[in-house]
Amino acid sequence: MYEALLFLHNLVRWFVLAFGLLALWRPGAKEGAFFAHALTLQVVLGILLAFVSPLFQGALASLEATLQTPSEARYFVAEHWVGGLVALGLAHAGLSQARKGKPRARLLFALALALVLLSIPWFRPLLRL
């Protein structure tokens, strides 16, 4: 189950990035919906992954020690998911603005995409097969 969720979470990342670029290029309601909903799926997969991940569960068992030292476990427990949730909020705010035809949708999509890019663990394999 863990490997399947990890594979899906990794795969959906590329759709999120592609739809984020599309929403940035053409900040309409349709493009924004693709981005926001792909990011929603990504966050849901990430939450499910946290429940079955041995790294995440091990880090939670010794949370105080995990948070005191910079490590891969600390990154996933304290930073990765927070960036994803904030990006999700920005993407849905951008979608709301795009549906109203307001120009600030592009800014919100750009902020969401930037946060997604900052939250991706680039030190991990880019494609898991």
Side-chain angles (χ1 to χ4, degrees), residues 15 21 24 29 34 65 71 73 102:
F15 287 105
L21 289 172
L24 194 57
F34 280 126
S71 65
K102 299 205 174 167

Side-chain angles (χ1 to χ4, degrees), residues 25-126:
W25 182 51
R26 293 181 48 192
K30 183 178 175 183
E31 294 82 0
F34 280 126
F35 178 44
H37 297 314
L39 192 50
T40 300
L41 175 61
Q42 180 74 339
V43 168
V44 168
L45 287 171
I47 290 169
L48 292 174
L49 191 56
F51 282 106
V52 297
S53 168
L55 175 72
F56 199 88
Q57 293 303 314
L60 285 181
S62 58
L63 187 59
E64 187 176 335
T66 301
L67 294 178
Q68 288 179 353
T69 59
S71 65
E72 184 177 356
R74 176 184 157 179
Y75 173 76
F76 286 110
V77 168
E79 298 158 11
H80 179 67
W81 66 272
V82 173
L85 283 177
V86 174
L88 180 64
L90 289 168
H92 277 281
L95 176 57
S96 173
Q97 295 298 306
R99 286 181 175 156
K100 295 175 186 174
K102 299 205 174 167
R104 78 181 79 141
R106 183 177 300 228
L107 173 63
L108 291 167
F109 290 144
L111 290 173
L113 184 59
L115 200 49
V116 165
L117 287 168
L118 288 172
S119 298
I120 290 175
W122 296 107
F123 54 87
R124 285 279 184 100
L126 295 179

